[in-house]
Amino acid sequence: MKIVSWNMNYWQQKSTNESAWNYLVSTVNPDIALLQETVVPEKYQHQTVFIESKTCRTTDSIKWGTCVFVNETILLNGSFKDVTEKYIKEEDSIGKQVFIEVNLNGREQFTICSLHTNTSPDGIYSIKNHIQKITENLESNNSYKRFIFGGDFNADIEMDNGFFIEVFNRIKINYHECIPKHTQTYFGANMSERNHYQDDHLFVSKDLSNSINETFSWNYGKLKQYSDHTILETELAI
């Protein structure tokens, strides 16, 4: 099972959004994609759970948001459903995460979360508080098995002199980070050699860690026409 995470940067690269989706589906060809800052083209809407983000700009005529996509094989042989409200109900977080349950071949069930954290470094609507809220809700739902989550965290473990170490260490108690080595995944215009951000992350519950075949980040040069983020990929022997 191939799982990817990608921030598609719709609000800055609207003109390439549909091309980015075609590239995702045809070339990347994931079984499941965790997507952020995106708008779903009509032809793929039956394969997605999408929630519009409250943080998109009021001037945007089409509102972008967060999404989980499943491929046609899953649709033919299994099913999926939106379970977002089971995990988080806070008004300020609407559209910042999507949770789905996926059933494969009527036998195996997984819970998947696409996460797009807040962008303030601290305070009531901060990245730190948002990630903590998500992980607390996962803990309260005992979501430690057959669980996959990831997305654009707007944070890495080295950011702000280790400000987020506590948050990431808490996640790692119950989940395995698929790409633990610090690697740049965000390439915004303000990025330089001194700003080397791994904004994007993929985690699986520890019961799935032995199923990991391969993990890597895509070559950004192939993707920059579509987004300021690269794609993370994890392949599970499932």
Side-chain angles (χ1 to χ4, degrees):
M1 183 164 66
K2 181 192 291 189
I3 300 137
V4 304
S5 178
W6 194 18
N7 180 316
M8 301 180 84
N9 194 35
Y10 171 83
W11 66 282
Q12 288 183 309
Q13 294 176 249
K14 297 181 181 68
S15 63
T16 60
N17 184 66
E18 186 150 358
S19 298
W21 269 89
N22 292 336
Y23 184 85
L24 172 76
V25 174
S26 301
T27 302
V28 182
N29 189 27
D31 294 295
I32 296 170
L34 318 178
L35 305 171
Q36 307 85 42
E37 291 187 16
T38 190
V39 169
V40 185
E42 184 176 356
K43 64 182 174 180
Y44 299 121
Q45 288 177 4
H46 68 291
Q47 295 172 253
T48 67
V49 173
F50 169 85
I51 301 178
E52 178 185 302
S53 177
K54 287 191 69 174
T55 58
C56 55
R57 300 173 304 182
T58 56
T59 55
D60 289 334
S61 56
I62 299 176
K63 306 301 181 185
W64 48 266
T66 307
C67 173
V68 179
F69 163 89
V70 301
N71 71 8
E72 291 282 5
T73 302
I74 291 178
L75 287 185
L76 288 172
N77 300 300
S79 61
F80 70 96
K81 64 178 180 179
D82 182 4
V83 293
T84 303
E85 288 192 1
K86 176 180 176 182
Y87 290 92
I88 194 159
K89 298 180 175 65
E90 287 81 359
E91 186 72 17
D92 60 285
S93 296
I94 290 175
K96 304 298 287 183
Q97 59 280 306
V98 170
F99 290 80
I100 73 167
E101 286 181 358
V102 175
N103 188 291
L104 303 180
N105 303 316
R107 300 190 312 266
E108 298 182 287
Q109 184 170 294
F110 300 85
T111 304
I112 316 289
C113 171
S114 176
L115 177 63
H116 185 210
T117 65
N118 296 316
T119 53
S120 171
D122 204 358
I124 188 170
Y125 300 119
S126 72
I127 303 165
K128 192 171 183 179
N129 281 340
H130 188 195
I131 297 174
Q132 285 178 333
K133 191 182 296 180
I134 288 287
T135 54
E136 286 168 3
N137 285 340
L138 295 182
E139 289 168 9
S140 67
N141 281 278
N142 296 317
S143 299
Y144 300 146
K145 293 186 180 298
R146 308 183 82 72
F147 199 97
I148 299 161
F149 78 103
D152 178 6
F153 283 35
N154 278 300
D156 63 47
I157 203 164
E158 298 183 12
M159 212 166 147
D160 296 332
N161 295 317
F163 181 72
F164 295 99
I165 287 176
E166 180 184 341
V167 173
F168 281 94
N169 285 347
R170 178 170 181 172
I171 294 171
K172 290 176 183 180
I173 292 171
N174 296 301
Y175 302 93
H176 173 84
E177 183 160 21
C178 297
I179 303 178
K181 184 179 179 181
H182 188 77
T183 181
Q184 187 166 3
T185 65
Y186 172 58
F187 299 83
N190 63 333
M191 294 295 97
S192 68
E193 289 183 3
R194 297 184 65 185
N195 294 311
H196 184 91
Y197 287 149
Q198 183 175 349
D199 273 7
D200 306 272
H201 303 267
L202 269 172
F203 292 90
V204 298
S205 50
K206 288 189 174 179
D207 62 311
L208 297 176
S209 61
N210 290 334
S211 301
I212 295 173
N213 276 343
E214 189 174 14
T215 62
F216 57 93
S217 58
W218 278 59
N219 182 321
Y220 180 63
K222 296 181 178 180
L223 302 174
K224 62 183 179 181
Q225 62 184 308
Y226 303 125
S227 176
D228 53 1
H229 289 250
T230 192
I231 294 172
L232 298 188
E233 179 171 325
T234 293
E235 297 179 10
L236 301 179
I238 295 170

